[in-house]
Amino acid sequence: YEIPKATSESLLLPEEAQLIAGSTSPERRQNFTAGRIAARRALSQISPDLGAIPVLRGESNQPVFPPNVRGSISHCDNLACAV
């Protein structure tokens, strides 16, 4: 997912938006949002229903995918990907 200059946090699901609500860094917010968008797009390739499930955070801040799904999110300055 190529990160637009103004990635809209409105694309996050409410549970995902809560995870980033306290972050003050615009770059962090943009990367988090783009990563979650990429993850849900990847999940929707498995099943449209999976694309509607929020990708939350685990104890070590790792993304938590739906049961029976293994995944990863990576992002840098202008690119986010999820598998």
Side-chain angles (χ1 to χ4, degrees), residues 35 42 74:
S74 182

Side-chain angles (χ1 to χ4, degrees), residues 2 5 14 19 24 30 32-33 38-39 50 52 54 58 66 70 80 83:
E2 187 172 348
K5 290 191 187 264
L19 298 175
T24 58
Q30 184 175 354
F32 177 90
T33 299
L50 288 177
R70 292 169 105 33
V83 294

Side-chain angles (χ1 to χ4, degrees), residues 40-83:
R40 286 193 281 109
R41 284 184 176 183
L43 288 167
S44 70
Q45 295 296 308
I46 299 169
S47 166
D49 292 339
L50 288 177
I53 296 174
V55 178
L56 303 177
R57 252 194 306 228
E59 290 181 16
S60 299
N61 289 328
Q62 79 279 12
V64 175
F65 289 91
N68 299 320
V69 175
R70 292 169 105 33
S72 181
I73 298 173
S74 182
H75 49 73
C76 62
D77 294 337
N78 62 351
L79 185 67
C81 64
V83 294

